[in-house]
Amino acid sequence: QVRVVESGGGSVQAGGSLRLSCVVSGYTQCSYDMSWYRQGPGKKREFVSTINTDGTTSFADSVKGRFTISRDNAKNMAYLQMNSLKPEDTAMYYCKIELTCFALVNNYWGQGTQVTVSA
């Protein structure tokens, strides 16, 4: 059973920083990509960033230059460093694991961590 848990959310003023963490437990012997998504009030869930098993990263245009993503494979963790935060970054942030085992792909989501940015 794969479990995904996020942490690190909180309330900050515009211009501030937060670092989100995502830890994966359970059956992690196979390779997995780690991604962050967010869902703001009244909005659909949207992609933020991803980091593949080889370290390749990608970002939504809205966060490029402000957010960075990293992972520690030994600890089964991923991090989202968020700088220069804006009120529009306010959202519930979710970590998603795309686990690939024997050519089968499954997605696992965490429960989310709330980020609130005040003007």
Side-chain angles (χ1 to χ4, degrees):
Q1 186 76 6
V2 177
R3 186 167 180 241
V4 181
V5 178
E6 306 95 335
S7 62
S11 297
V12 295
Q13 291 188 327
S17 299
L18 282 173
R19 189 175 85 150
L20 305 184
S21 299
C22 172
V23 60
V24 183
S25 60
Y27 188 71
T28 57
Q29 287 88 333
C30 298
S31 64
Y32 53 94
D33 297 340
M34 306 180 81
S35 301
W36 290 94
Y37 286 72
R38 67 186 182 186
Q39 187 166 13
K43 298 181 180 179
K44 295 181 179 180
R45 190 172 297 189
E46 63 177 5
F47 167 78
V48 176
S49 181
T50 192
I51 183 165
N52 298 333
T53 54
D54 62 0
T56 303
T57 61
S58 63
F59 297 88
D61 288 342
S62 59
V63 305
K64 280 181 181 176
R66 300 187 298 122
F67 291 11
T68 58
I69 189 171
S70 60
R71 65 188 288 170
D72 184 335
N73 291 328
K75 296 181 179 180
N76 294 324
M77 293 192 72
Y79 307 95
L80 185 69
Q81 178 66 44
M82 307 185 295
N83 299 325
S84 302
L85 283 162
K86 305 175 180 180
E88 51 264 44
D89 294 318
T90 294
M92 184 71 80
Y93 283 71
Y94 298 91
C95 181
K96 186 193 82 170
I97 304 302
E98 185 177 287
L99 186 68
T100 301
C101 278
F102 308 108
L104 296 177
V105 179
N106 286 289
N107 293 321
Y108 300 89
W109 293 85
Q111 293 300 306
T113 185
Q114 178 67 39
V115 171
T116 302
V117 184
S118 57

